[in-house]
Amino acid sequence: MVDTENGKNIEEISSNMIDVVIVGAGFAGLYMLYRLRESGFSAKIIEVADGIGGVWHWNRYPGARCDIEAMQYSYSFSEELQQEWKWSEIFPTQPEILRYLNYVADKFDLRKNIELKTQVNAAIFDETHSRWEIQTSRGDRILAKFCVMATGCLSASRIPSINGLETFKGHYYHTGRWPQTDVNFSGRRVAVFGTGSSGVQIIPIIAKQAKHLFVFQRTATFTVPARNKPLEPEYEQWWKSNYAEHRKQMLETITGCLALGMKNCSAMSVTPDERLQEYEKQWQKGSLNFLGSFNDLVFNQEANDTAAEFLRSKIREIVEDPTVAEKLIPRGFPLGAKRLSLDTNYFEAFNHDNVTLVDLQQAPIDEITPTGIRIGNKNYELDDIVFATGFDAFTGALFKIDIRGRAGKTLRDKWADGPCTYLGLMTSDFPNLFIMTGLGSPTVFANAALCIEQNVDWITNCLVYLRTNHYETIEPNTEAENDWGKHVNAVANFILFSKADSWFNGANIEGKPRVFMPYAGGVNNYRKKCQDVVVNGYQGFILATQ
Ligand SMILES: Cc1cc2nc3c(=O)[nH]c(=O)nc-3n(C[C@H](O)[C@H](O)[C@H](O)COP(=O)(O)OP(=O)(O)OC[C@H]3O[C@@H](n4cnc5c(N)ncnc54)[C@H](O)[C@@H]3O)c2cc1C
Ligand SMILES: *[C@@H]1O[C@H](CO)[C@@H](O)[C@H](O)[C@H]1NC(C)=O
Ligand SMILES: *[C@@H]1O[C@H](CO)[C@@H](O)[C@H](O)[C@H]1NC(C)=O
Ligand SMILES: *[C@@H]1O[C@H](CO)[C@@H](O)[C@H](O)[C@H]1NC(C)=O
Ligand SMILES: *[C@@H]1O[C@H](CO)[C@@H](O)[C@H](O)[C@H]1NC(C)=O
């Protein structure tokens, strides 16, 4: 029998049929593969990179580290794994996290079901057979009952379009696509664009190496010191002595992290002196827990202002040149409305004679020339340019794939005015397609490892339920999907997150619809909602036997 469309033999195609295709081999894809295999499904990961690890494969720039403690930003699914793995630092570097993920892949024998160096170009739903056809860069067509997009919320790196970039004679790099070989900036004149989390990490390191570093800043950023240090044996032991219990407590928090010794009261309920003392204490301790110094910093303008003012005063203290300090001070958006960054000597770097801050608010770039950057009649001579300019977040990697659901409808068309999902997990008219990219879910505001495990467990349990009850397809109904979208928006408007242009709402990408994409209602509430949906017989989903 011949499949007229492709001239391929149906038997040949069917032998290529598996239960689940997973796209992406990061934190999400790896655990998804593990859980599916444990539950008796045939599954396979397709990954474009030449190694596993996702974010931790691609972001090899100097200074790359996690900013949630690795004791928490790690898998919890295997007690053996979490007991035997040893982190060297509170916030380990990229090579160590990548080693960890490779260790996981080996320990659970995942590699045999991972196909590297293969890009998924299209995923087409075949309504007649209720199955997905996955087309890859190798020209393969893989048929699967289900498809899981574990393509990452921050995997589509993005370089802003600047006139003349293609004429530049030096080297240029994106932090999210860093070369696998070492880059040596010594003796070179380097520009860094972008002062988000990656820029904040890389700038102090290049500042030490380069002959001269120019930091081109569009928006100033709030940071809190990381105060990274070796993992102390007592602290490690405290975690490991009761890991399961601690992980359980993490699930009950908003951020999916245990923060010890935090105050649970309003910033406005204490005297200004007490408030400053608390900020100082948290600042000395370091970590993103700073945002939890009081319980209303993200809800209450007045409270938010006191914390922001505290961080501004720290910038004035650290940066010696008052003019430079003023340029580095963030204004016009609430603290936390853009992702807060952890830093190690970031503001200190601007005290170095060989570091120059160029404020793009005052004058934008005119062009990149073969030898540097021109702003007005000023030329900056450069050998290298580093783009720490972030990602086309949430939807970028999905839209690179030609995804077609019922009646040939494309995902790009469906989401032309902004993405809509039910629980961030599925979208109507795209049956049996699961999404884990942080859309409509709390992942990016929280400990992503924990959120990913929650998503994967939910999806696996769902597939087991379908199998047990002989259902062929699952997809959300449009009402449930619309309600979830409204809820995600309502929560974003309630807190202060929606009040800044950022990658949370697509403002970093020209022409991208302004829709607040992640769910800011907390890990605990999200998880409860996901559980309730299941308890109520997959409420809001359409389950069909044919
Ligand atoms: C520098 C950096 C630091 C971070 N630090 C933290 C942190 O400390 N704590 C935290 O909670 N979160 C952090 N994050 C967020 C991070 O995105 C998540 O923690 C997590 O790693 C996401 O895992 P993932 O598997 O969902 O996606 P990813 O790790 O992005 O993996 C997705 C994979 O899919 C592949 N892929 C995409 N499209 C295709 C295609 N069409 N075909 C084939 N393969 C494809 C990509 O190549 C990639 O390997 C950080 C992110 C970055 C960029
Ligand atoms: C970088 O280059 C400088 C000078 O070219 C050299 O002295 C130094 O050893 C190099 N560093 C590394 C880590 O290769
Ligand atoms: C700083 O810059 C000056 C002038 O470009 C240069 O001569 C000097 O070597 C640089 N210092 C370092 C530490 O690279
Ligand atoms: C903070 O206090 C409120 C009200 O007193 C309580 O409901 C909540 O559980 C407390 N939260 C934490 C994290 O202790
Ligand atoms: C805190 O948030 C409020 C509400 O969005 C905002 O008006 C205020 O400017 C913020 N404060 C600072 C210092 O950014």
Side-chain angles (χ1 to χ4, degrees):
M1 205 166 125
V2 167
D3 174 346
T4 47
E5 216 181 310
N6 286 279
K8 269 200 181 172
N9 193 300
I10 286 285
E11 277 81 347
E12 191 189 316
I13 294 169
S14 306
S15 68
N16 216 2
M17 170 102 184
I18 55 175
D19 293 326
V20 189
V21 165
I22 302 161
V23 188
F27 254 102
L30 293 173
Y31 179 49
M32 190 79 244
L33 173 62
Y34 170 80
R35 275 301 312 267
L36 288 172
R37 267 184 8 197
E38 291 293 293
S39 308
F41 294 100
S42 57
K44 176 176 192 168
I45 293 181
I46 309 291
E47 165 61 60
V48 67
D50 65 1
I52 64 156
V55 153
W56 301 106
H57 169 87
W58 292 112
N59 291 262
R60 292 165 190 260
Y61 60 87
R65 295 171 182 279
C66 58
D67 57 14
I68 289 180
E69 296 186 8
M71 289 307 287
Q72 310 200 39
Y73 179 62
S74 48
Y75 289 122
S76 73
F77 69 86
S78 161
E79 177 64 12
E80 197 177 289
L81 171 69
Q82 64 184 3
Q83 290 296 336
E84 72 194 7
W85 183 262
K86 224 175 151 46
W87 295 107
S88 70
E89 295 177 291
I90 299 276
F91 303 111
T93 55
Q94 169 272 331
E96 187 167 334
I97 303 171
L98 185 58
R99 256 196 323 275
Y100 167 76
L101 290 170
N102 275 287
Y103 179 84
V104 170
D106 289 330
K107 182 176 173 74
F108 300 101
D109 194 19
L110 301 178
R111 292 189 203 276
K112 64 180 182 213
N113 300 113
I114 302 176
E115 193 173 318
L116 297 173
K117 297 191 221 169
T118 310
Q119 178 158 358
V120 168
N121 291 331
I124 317 270
F125 187 66
D126 171 352
E127 284 190 86
T128 319
H129 302 97
S130 297
R131 66 189 182 195
W132 283 91
E133 179 184 311
I134 310 297
Q135 298 170 5
T136 76
S137 53
R138 290 179 190 268
D140 292 336
R141 301 165 64 207
I142 308 162
L143 299 178
K145 193 109 219 94
F146 302 94
C147 178
V148 178
M149 291 296 173
T151 45
C153 47
L154 301 174
S155 65
S157 61
R158 163 192 164 267
I159 292 183
S161 59
I162 305 176
N163 280 344
L165 178 60
E166 68 291 343
T167 69
F168 184 59
K169 291 238 168 58
H171 298 287
Y172 69 90
Y173 310 91
H174 187 284
T175 50
R177 284 290 178 278
W178 203 258
Q180 300 204 12
T181 49
D182 282 342
V183 180
N184 187 348
F185 291 111
S186 110
R188 299 177 72 84
R189 297 159 302 175
V190 185
V192 172
F193 278 88
T195 51
S197 298
S198 299
V200 163
Q201 288 183 333
I202 201 171
I203 283 167
I205 295 183
I206 299 183
K208 273 194 263 172
Q209 271 185 21
K211 184 168 162 203
H212 203 100
L213 170 64
F214 298 91
V215 175
F216 290 85
Q217 173 185 276
R218 204 183 53 180
T219 313
T221 193
F222 285 111
T223 77
V224 174
R227 314 234 183 255
N228 186 33
K229 57 183 181 195
L231 192 63
E232 285 153 2
E234 305 77 52
Y235 186 62
E236 181 183 7
Q237 202 38 48
W238 180 82
W239 270 99
K240 288 189 173 178
S241 65
N242 211 352
Y243 227 143
E245 181 56 34
H246 296 144
R247 298 274 199 193
K248 216 189 278 166
Q249 287 168 10
M250 286 156 66
L251 293 172
E252 302 303 327
T253 65
I254 290 174
T255 58
C257 299
L258 273 195
L260 306 170
M262 305 305 286
K263 281 228 164 69
N264 184 15
C265 65
S266 157
M268 308 323 286
S269 70
V270 299
T271 68
D273 270 357
E274 285 172 315
R275 200 155 58 219
L276 277 183
Q277 263 173 35
E278 184 60 21
Y279 289 143
E280 184 66 32
K281 186 176 130 203
Q282 294 303 335
W283 195 80
Q284 290 301 341
K285 267 198 343 203
S287 111
L288 297 176
N289 295 339
F290 182 85
L291 271 184
S293 300
F294 294 97
N295 64 12
D296 58 351
L297 297 188
V298 296
F299 302 104
N300 179 328
Q301 310 191 9
E302 226 184 331
N304 151 280
D305 208 37
T306 63
E309 208 36 65
F310 173 83
L311 292 179
R312 292 191 185 110
S313 72
K314 287 294 179 190
I315 300 173
R316 289 192 188 99
E317 246 171 73
I318 297 169
V319 179
E320 286 157 11
D321 180 337
T323 328
V324 176
E326 284 312 304
K327 287 182 191 164
L328 286 167
I329 286 175
R331 291 193 176 81
F333 59 89
L335 171 65
K338 289 171 187 275
R339 202 175 185 291
L340 188 62
S341 302
L342 279 194
D343 86 282
T344 304
N345 299 329
Y346 172 65
F347 290 113
E348 286 83 348
F350 293 92
N351 293 334
H352 201 296
D353 287 344
N354 287 28
V355 177
T356 305
L357 178 68
V358 183
D359 185 2
L360 296 177
Q361 302 268 329
Q362 292 180 345
I365 288 176
D366 288 301
E367 61 172 349
I368 295 183
T369 66
T371 58
I373 287 171
R374 187 177 67 78
I375 297 181
N377 51 16
K378 191 156 173 52
N379 282 301
Y380 298 89
E381 297 292 315
L382 297 170
D383 301 306
D384 303 302
I385 302 177
V386 171
F387 290 99
T389 43
F391 303 89
D392 183 355
F394 306 107
T395 51
L398 286 176
F399 284 171
K400 283 191 192 161
I401 306 172
D402 183 11
I403 302 176
R404 293 171 193 237
R406 290 198 187 281
K409 186 175 196 169
T410 70
L411 192 66
R412 273 178 284 225
D413 278 348
K414 177 173 174 184
W415 288 359
D417 298 326
C420 46
T421 68
Y422 185 35
L423 304 174
L425 290 166
M426 297 197 91
T427 188
S428 60
D429 280 336
F430 294 79
N432 295 2
L433 178 77
F434 294 91
I435 301 164
M436 274 195 286
T437 59
L439 272 173
S441 77
T443 313
V444 298
F445 294 130
N447 176 351
L450 173 141
C451 296
I452 283 168
E453 283 192 325
Q454 183 270 349
N455 272 187
V456 167
D457 291 343
W458 193 98
I459 293 169
T460 310
N461 293 340
C462 171
L463 295 194
V464 170
Y465 180 86
L466 298 180
R467 181 174 63 192
T468 311
N469 295 286
H470 309 290
Y471 288 114
E472 286 289 310
T473 59
I474 179 168
E475 68 193 288
N477 67 48
T478 46
E479 197 191 342
E481 183 169 305
N482 291 338
D483 287 349
W484 183 248
K486 280 184 205 146
H487 179 59
V488 168
N489 253 309
V491 172
N493 286 330
F494 177 60
I495 61 164
L496 305 178
F497 286 139
S498 58
K499 304 212 163 130
D501 286 352
S502 77
W503 54 271
F504 292 155
N505 56 20
N508 64 326
I509 305 287
E510 214 172 299
K512 194 165 169 169
R514 295 288 178 93
V515 175
F516 194 82
M517 290 174 279
Y519 177 59
V523 169
N524 45 1
N525 295 320
Y526 173 77
R527 191 170 146 265
K528 173 137 196 336
K529 170 73 184 174
C530 289
Q531 283 172 337
D532 289 348
V533 161
V534 174
V535 169
N536 294 321
Y538 287 89
Q539 187 178 34
F541 285 100
I542 305 162
L543 283 71
T545 47
Q546 191 38 267

